[in-house]
Amino acid sequence: MPLLSPALSPALSPALSPALAGFGTGAGLIVAIGAQNAFVLRTGLARTWVLPVVLVCLVSDAVLIVAGVAGIGAVTARAPWVLEVVRWLGVAFLVGYALLALRRAARPAALAIGDVGEGVGAAAATRSARRAVLTAVALTWLNPHVYLDTMVLIGSLAATYGDPGRWTFGAGAALASAVWFPLIGFGAMRLGRFLTRPAAWRIVDSVIGIQLLVVAAALAYPT
């Protein structure tokens, strides 16, 4: 849940600067555990391609927030079928990614986290980086909640501040992403030495798999 709900944010706007309100709203939206956060955490724990994954997530959020503040959110609000298509694409992707995580949990392997990426060929390393980046892109751009949160909700709240306040609000929301993703990505690297055993990865992948299935179910059957 956002720290400032859609109903409360406009009412509180006179008491909060646009930047502070934007940061609080953005933080409340992105901190909730989801597929994107789960992947960034796992990348940080594995110490593999953390920087490009973090950059994909925060740049994507910034682009979507700018689009929402610029008014594209109004277009998607008038064309619900677009979000419906994205929703089912997201369900399919989340289920597939969850099954991969559960398969890894069923057959966990020891992982020398500090050595990941070392001693491999350039082609293999490039493929690994590409795979990580493409996964981050898919988890971001195929997640309908991202569009609802950044383009529709943040865009609508930003509009209540007029010009130029709406852009300050959007900058605050984008700053929340710029703080959060490096925090969980690079912060997770601290835990690497505790996760060199197969049993640890069994737990991590099991939790991620179950979490993604829950998110997919919530998307497929919204209340």
Side-chain angles (χ1 to χ4, degrees), residues 50-150:
V50 179
L51 180 59
V53 167
V54 166
L55 287 176
V56 165
C57 293
L58 64 87
V59 170
S60 296
D61 269 16
V63 169
L64 290 167
I65 288 170
V66 169
V69 173
I72 297 180
V75 175
T76 58
R78 294 195 194 99
W81 63 269
V82 174
L83 290 179
E84 187 69 8
V85 170
V86 173
R87 179 166 73 93
W88 286 107
L89 286 174
V91 169
F93 184 83
L94 290 173
V95 169
Y97 193 77
L99 292 178
L100 289 176
L102 293 175
R103 186 177 69 176
R104 289 195 304 266
R107 292 181 294 180
L111 179 63
I113 297 176
D115 296 331
V116 170
E118 297 179 5
V120 297
T126 301
R127 285 198 300 270
S128 297
R130 184 185 302 117
R131 189 157 47 241
V133 167
L134 289 178
T135 301
V137 169
L139 286 171
T140 301
W141 291 90
L142 291 181
N143 184 353
H145 286 305
V146 171
Y147 296 91
L148 292 172
D149 290 347
T150 57

